[in-house]
Amino acid sequence: MNNSLFHYLIGCFPLLSIMACSPQPEPIDFGRDVCQHCKMLISDERYGAELVTKKGKVYKFDSVECLLWHLEENPDLQEKTHLLLVVDFHSPGKLVPALDATYLRAKHLPSPMGMFITAFSSPEAALSMLDPSDEESRQLRWEEVAAFIRQSKVPSQQ
């Protein structure tokens, strides 16, 4: 091995070590993975959520509702969180950043936990699914979804 190649490889080692240790999301295995919160099988590829801790532990959920209820019940998990992701309704199985997503609360889109909350990768995508005849349907941002879930009862507490 020549001397310059050796120095190049030694120089890349710290960068490769950092990249290898960066917490990463995992694809949800629909029909096999179980929701961390409600213990139901995650089966609808248009819904789902994931939490990745700073240490790389991955928690999978069947809906954004379960993700938020789990965070409410485990406040210590909030400071350990590295990534929050939700499935984009228009791209089944594709995870997008939860804080950047746009949510639609609409009766014609029943989510797995029955709170009618659906995630979209953009406001335009959410607007395309808005039903003008449903006067209660509305677009929400992450903070509004979190506040709505906080006000509701956790299914295990009902």
Side-chain angles (χ1 to χ4, degrees), residues 73-141:
E73 290 181 349
N74 300 283
D76 60 315
L77 199 52
Q78 292 180 18
E79 61 191 49
K80 296 176 184 173
T81 298
H82 177 66
L83 291 170
L84 290 174
L85 304 158
V86 292
V87 171
D88 175 19
F89 183 80
H90 284 308
S91 301
K94 180 182 176 189
L95 293 165
V96 298
L99 302 180
D100 298 336
T102 300
Y103 300 87
L104 194 61
R105 184 157 187 260
K107 294 289 184 192
H108 69 284
L109 295 172
S111 56
M113 295 310 291
M115 297 193 75
F116 305 97
I117 298 173
T118 304
F120 297 90
S121 61
S122 71
E124 295 79 19
L127 276 176
S128 74
M129 294 298 292
L130 200 59
D131 180 0
S133 67
D134 181 0
E135 295 176 5
E136 293 182 27
S137 69
R138 54 183 247 195
Q139 229 176 326
L140 304 167
R141 300 296 307 163

Side-chain angles (χ1 to χ4, degrees), residues 68 102-103 105 117 138-151:
L68 286 164
T102 300
Y103 300 87
R105 184 157 187 260
I117 298 173
R138 54 183 247 195
Q139 229 176 326
L140 304 167
R141 300 296 307 163
W142 172 256
E143 299 80 19
E144 295 169 305
V145 173
F148 176 72
I149 295 299
R150 258 185 244 114
Q151 294 171 355

Side-chain angles (χ1 to χ4, degrees), residues 2-3 11 28 49 69 78 114 132 145:
N2 72 30
N3 207 15
I28 295 173
W69 280 320
Q78 292 180 18
V145 173

Side-chain angles (χ1 to χ4, degrees), residues 36-38 61 65-78 149-150 153-158:
Q36 180 69 33
H37 181 73
C38 71
F61 303 92
E65 296 101 307
C66 281
L67 166 65
L68 286 164
W69 280 320
H70 194 74
L71 281 170
E72 280 293 306
E73 290 181 349
N74 300 283
D76 60 315
L77 199 52
Q78 292 180 18
I149 295 299
R150 258 185 244 114
K153 289 185 175 182
V154 177
S156 61
Q157 296 175 339
Q158 291 179 339

